[in-house]
Amino acid sequence: MASSSIPAGGHVDPTRRDFLMVATGAMGAIGTIAVAWPFINNLNPAADTLALSTVEVNVAPVQVGQAITVKWRGKPLFIRHRTPEEIKAAEAVPMSELRDPQTDNSRVTDTAKKVRPEWLIMIGVCTHLGCVPLGNNPGDPKGEFGGWFCPCHGSMYDTSGRIRKGPAPLNLAIPGYLFTSDTLVRVG
Amino acid sequence: MASSHGTPPVFNNKVIAWIDHRLPIFSYMEKEYHHFPTPRNFNYFWNFGAIATVMLVLMIATGIVLATNYTPHTTMAFDSVERIMRDVPSGWLIRYLHMTGASFFFIAVYIHIFRGLYYGSYKSPRELLWILGVVILLLMMATAFMGYVLPWGQMSFWGATVITSLFTAIPVVGDSITTWLWGGFAIDNPTLNRFYALHYLLPFVIVGVVALHVVALHVHGSNNPLGIDVKGPQDTVPFHPYYTMKDGFGVMVFLIIYAGFAFFAPNYLGDPANYIQANPLATPTHIVPEWYFLPFYAILRAIPNKLGGVLAMFGSIAVLFVLPWLDTSRVRSASFRPIYKWFVFVLVADVFLLGVCGANPPEGWYVPLAQIGTLYYFFHFLILLPVLGKIERPLPLPPSIADAVLKKNAG
């Protein structure tokens, strides 16, 4: 047993017992985390879910003015092949009019910094409470701004998918996407 | 004997004192797991109750996590298990821990039972404690049996078919009972679904019976290797820190061996036939249960009569229920019973022999060996124990535990 004299200040040198207690406690804590980790990690997405997290879409068949909806990560992905009029209208909107100011240019740039304004690729989930807005199918109401209209509470998005009217706080989200060729786009 | 309504314990922490005054969990823990007087002469055989409890918790934890990914339908069960093994993060580990854990749970429980047999822990006043233990064993066997069906491999299906078909041996109502068990005319989806529900349920029933088992233990305290009663505080040490630490050490050693199997030889104790999807139209060459059922399987097949075999198999566990009354000796521990001591080892060897017979097809030498093994098993419990207790001359018991311990250290 280590002998320790108590100096005038009252501080006692740590004993072997103190060292053992702290060391055991630390090892115990590390061990507990090491055992708990696989159980917690187990609930993370599995390999099959992760495999579906990236989708490659061939947009060649989508005509100008046409739009398609693709399922991605369980949610609808809106891909619209915009007309030159829609692009011009989107670019003409001043930032001061927007609840969530974003330039049209920034919304049509892929992860390799390539700008292709004719392709608008967005997650088709209204940023208010999560309904799928109308406007992607022919005959759908498009709202006052020519983009999308959410029937649940009346949010209206413009030709760049930005919120213009109604309760939604944010623009329709743009996922990270990359044009791997002229007609192939990889999302996610 | 400490009274349960003496001076109330004083806690410095105000929050703990407030809770304890309303729900005395802290003073309960202090009394039962801190100060609890425990015989000072435990050997490592006394560790296995705690080890079994740790394994129970581990099996429930891994089982619940597996349940988040398993599908209990005949068309998807096998594939869902393979998905767990390949796609789910750490799924392979959780599955192997659960698989190997079942085996090690039985290893711990069988050693725990051996301790009871050798040291007379089933004798008065611990008869009910022993009986509760046998109930736990039965529940474990039911749970393990149903759990093995869930992966829906060949052995899952055919092992289940063989064992559930046993009930057709019951005269008059056998077929109806078996159809009722199956929920159909053979093992199929209804059976799988209900086995899954029951397999999820029974472990919690086991937890309840384990709680009763521990409460029963704490009424009179633990037995000890000498088998003599505690005479006073000089015979005991407080449970904490002596046995919390000793049990902790033993649990660690056990878990190391368990981890060795789970990580490096997870399929060693299993049957490769279960990695083939269940096929109701093709029986595997040899139907074999998991190793922990082999002795009972051997007893079942040893009797040439169908109903006789079933009765013998259930009888082999039934004798355990009445063991406290079969053994007439007034001495608990086999350390002081020079003749009985050797017969306990013979029984262990006999159970191993039966296990080997159960693992092999009932041909050649295995047939008479299994029959001799079965005969000895029932002879041991039904004839040997009652007779030996009356005619054996036990060795003189030491006056007290402290006496024996001090004498051993002085010598």
Side-chain angles (χ1 to χ4, degrees), chain B residues 19-199:
Chain B
I19 297 174
D20 199 74
H21 182 59
R22 290 154 179 75
L23 184 68
I25 38 177
F26 295 104
S27 34
Y28 174 81
M29 290 301 288
E30 279 285 302
K31 176 163 177 260
E32 304 293 339
Y33 292 102
H34 187 163
H35 306 300
F36 192 71
T38 319
R40 63 196 297 170
N41 60 334
F42 275 2
N43 59 34
Y44 275 101
F45 276 112
W46 263 258
N47 210 335
F48 284 88
I51 292 174
T53 310
V54 167
M55 292 312 294
L56 176 62
V57 170
L58 206 137
M59 291 302 284
I60 290 178
T62 50
I64 291 176
V65 169
L66 285 174
T68 59
N69 283 299
Y70 172 74
T71 307
H73 194 282
T74 50
T75 53
M76 293 182 66
F78 187 86
D79 288 343
S80 71
V81 173
E82 281 306 305
R83 177 176 169 272
I84 289 170
M85 296 298 291
R86 293 154 200 262
D87 284 351
V88 173
S90 310
W92 58 271
L93 175 61
I94 311 277
R95 197 269 176 114
Y96 279 148
L97 284 177
H98 198 74
M99 229 165 87
T100 326
S103 284
F104 275 77
F105 193 10
F106 274 98
I107 290 174
V109 164
Y110 282 150
I111 297 176
H112 185 70
I113 293 174
F114 169 78
R115 183 278 309 271
L117 289 173
Y118 189 86
Y119 292 106
S121 305
Y122 51 84
K123 288 178 175 299
S124 175
R126 299 182 181 88
E127 301 97 321
L128 195 53
L129 172 66
W130 171 262
I131 289 172
L132 287 169
V134 182
V135 170
I136 294 172
L137 176 67
L138 272 177
L139 287 171
M140 277 175 64
M141 293 169 88
T143 309
F145 169 71
M146 291 189 293
Y148 193 66
V149 177
L150 301 183
W152 210 241
Q154 271 289 63
M155 215 44 93
S156 306
F157 182 90
W158 288 101
T161 301
V162 165
I163 297 301
T164 48
S165 295
L166 293 181
F167 288 89
T168 58
I170 301 172
V172 185
V173 291
D175 281 330
S176 310
I177 290 181
T178 312
T179 307
W180 175 77
L181 271 175
W182 283 337
F185 304 105
I187 302 259
D188 204 342
N189 201 52
T191 330
L192 177 62
N193 246 295
R194 62 186 59 176
F195 276 10
Y196 181 54
L198 292 173
H199 180 76

Side-chain angles (χ1 to χ4, degrees), chain A residues 116-188:
Chain A
R116 296 190 70 182
E118 67 273 22
W119 291 110
L120 182 62
I121 301 175
M122 316 183 292
I123 299 174
V125 173
C126 183
T127 56
H128 179 225
L129 291 174
C131 296
V132 178
L134 304 169
N136 241 34
N137 301 316
D140 268 359
K142 290 198 162 78
E144 290 165 18
F145 302 87
W148 286 265
F149 170 73
C150 187
C152 292
H153 308 101
S155 295
M156 294 184 198
Y157 299 86
D158 64 13
T159 51
S160 183
R162 297 174 294 204
I163 182 66
R164 302 297 294 275
K165 194 170 173 189
L170 299 170
N171 303 334
L172 291 175
I174 309 281
Y177 62 87
L178 179 70
F179 273 96
T180 55
S181 82
D182 251 5
T183 51
L184 271 176
V185 62
R186 183 190 305 157
V187 184

Side-chain angles (χ1 to χ4, degrees), chain A residues 32-167:
Chain A
T32 308
I33 295 175
V35 169
W37 167 245
F39 286 85
I40 297 174
N41 188 34
N42 181 273
L43 296 170
N44 271 331
D48 50 0
T49 313
L50 291 173
L52 290 173
S53 67
T54 306
V55 75
E56 234 178 28
V57 186
N58 180 6
V59 293
V62 185
Q63 308 294 329
V64 179
Q66 231 192 341
I68 57 168
T69 308
V70 174
K71 190 163 172 200
W72 176 70
R73 292 188 182 179
K75 291 189 274 219
L77 201 67
F78 290 167
I79 301 179
R80 190 187 270 191
H81 194 163
R82 300 197 293 182
T83 62
E85 295 80 31
E86 287 172 339
I87 299 171
K88 215 134 91 314
E91 286 169 351
V93 177
M95 290 294 109
S96 54
E97 262 182 46
L98 294 172
R99 182 177 301 163
D100 179 15
Q102 258 187 322
T103 62
D104 181 68
N105 201 283
S106 67
R107 291 175 62 78
V108 288
T109 312
D110 75 2
T111 49
K113 301 277 193 281
K114 188 159 183 227
V115 181
R116 296 190 70 182
E118 67 273 22
W119 291 110
L120 182 62
I121 301 175
M122 316 183 292
I123 299 174
V125 173
C126 183
T127 56
H128 179 225
L129 291 174
C131 296
V132 178
L134 304 169
N136 241 34
N137 301 316
D140 268 359
K142 290 198 162 78
E144 290 165 18
F145 302 87
W148 286 265
F149 170 73
C150 187
C152 292
H153 308 101
S155 295
M156 294 184 198
Y157 299 86
D158 64 13
T159 51
S160 183
R162 297 174 294 204
I163 182 66
R164 302 297 294 275
K165 194 170 173 189

Side-chain angles (χ1 to χ4, degrees), chain B residues 1-4 31 37 218-220 233:
Chain B
M1 196 147 34
S3 64
S4 54
K31 176 163 177 260
H218 276 222
V219 174
H220 293 286

Side-chain angles (χ1 to χ4, degrees), chain B residues 359-377:
Chain B
N360 285 288
E363 293 156 4
W365 277 109
Y366 293 116
V367 177
L369 279 175
Q371 287 167 343
I372 293 168
T374 305
L375 214 62
Y376 177 77
Y377 183 93

Side-chain angles (χ1 to χ4, degrees), chain B residues 326-328 379-391:
Chain B
L326 292 171
D327 185 357
T328 52
F379 164 79
H380 181 103
F381 284 104
L382 296 173
I383 299 176
L384 184 76
L385 287 184
V387 170
L388 206 54
K390 295 274 194 278
I391 64 173

